[in-house]
Amino acid sequence: FFDQWSQKEIFKWKSNLKLTEARQKEAHQTRIDRTWENLDLSRFENGVLEIYTIAKRENAKLVLATHPAIYREDLTPEEDALTWLMAGYTFRSRRERLDKINAKIRQIGEMLSVPVVDLDRMLPRSTEVFYDDCHFNDNGAALVAEKFFEHFSKEAELTES
């Protein structure tokens, strides 16, 4: 892959990588511990309600899922180095924000009588599942598929009964 690149391109790539790593390291060292008591999720909720309306109109079954992430207070330095999303905030702050979003997803599911696959509560918050903050590695993708399969299998059993 590198043998197709000129020395100048390789230098530029390495320089950008070092700059990105430096910015990430700086963000990790100066984190803000924000609380999210005034987090406005109305646009998010309206978007989900619009999806629900479209699904109902098209006679499609809607299933919601919570958003899992690796965020926890006791991340190892190796796990910490993998994170980038909201890098300027403490993990407590990131977790709190995500918990509020997931609570909203659960609330909307209950309000609309739409099932929620609670991936955030089902999956380990570790590199067993994630390759960074919130993107699944191969094992994580397989676990997500398994959780959805379990959900739809139970639903099919209930329908057949």
Side-chain angles (χ1 to χ4, degrees):
F1 153 71
F2 281 119
D3 34 335
Q4 297 174 1
W5 288 22
S6 70
Q7 289 298 319
K8 185 178 178 181
E9 290 171 319
I10 292 171
F11 178 77
K12 184 178 178 183
W13 179 80
K14 286 182 177 179
S15 297
N16 285 338
L17 182 61
K18 285 180 183 174
L19 181 60
T20 301
E21 288 171 348
R23 285 183 182 148
Q24 192 175 28
K25 186 176 181 181
E26 180 183 331
H28 283 244
Q29 291 172 347
T30 58
R31 291 184 175 146
I32 300 165
D33 190 36
R34 177 177 174 184
T35 57
W36 302 94
E37 65 272 351
N38 296 323
L39 182 62
D40 182 8
L41 294 173
S42 59
R43 287 179 57 205
F44 174 77
E45 182 173 2
N46 289 338
V48 176
L49 293 174
E50 188 168 337
I51 291 168
Y52 172 78
T53 302
I54 293 167
K56 198 167 184 168
R57 183 182 66 225
E58 298 297 323
N59 211 18
K61 181 150 178 75
L62 182 64
V63 176
L64 301 176
T66 56
H67 183 65
I70 198 171
Y71 305 140
R72 45 176 228 281
E73 299 260 351
D74 65 339
L75 287 182
T76 66
E78 293 78 20
E79 290 171 321
D80 185 17
L82 299 173
T83 65
W84 58 273
L85 191 65
M86 293 179 54
Y89 294 97
T90 64
F91 285 106
R92 190 216 57 78
S93 183
R94 295 182 203 188
R95 184 78 246 163
E96 180 184 321
R97 185 175 192 274
L98 189 58
D99 287 345
K100 288 185 181 290
I101 293 167
N102 285 332
K104 179 56 77 175
I105 293 168
R106 292 180 198 102
Q107 177 191 16
I108 294 169
E110 189 174 320
M111 177 181 75
L112 300 174
S113 298
V114 169
V116 176
V117 178
D118 203 341
L119 295 175
D120 187 54
R121 291 181 177 160
M122 295 174 172
L123 301 177
R125 295 176 182 161
S126 71
T127 54
E128 176 187 340
V129 175
F130 300 99
Y131 71 81
D132 66 3
D133 299 49
C134 57
H135 295 99
F136 303 118
N137 58 27
D138 289 345
N139 185 57
L143 284 171
V144 169
E146 184 180 301
K147 297 304 177 189
F148 274 97
F149 179 78
E150 289 170 7
H151 167 79
F152 289 114
S153 295
K154 287 178 190 170
E155 191 174 277
E157 287 173 16
L158 293 173
T159 307
E160 292 172 2
S161 304

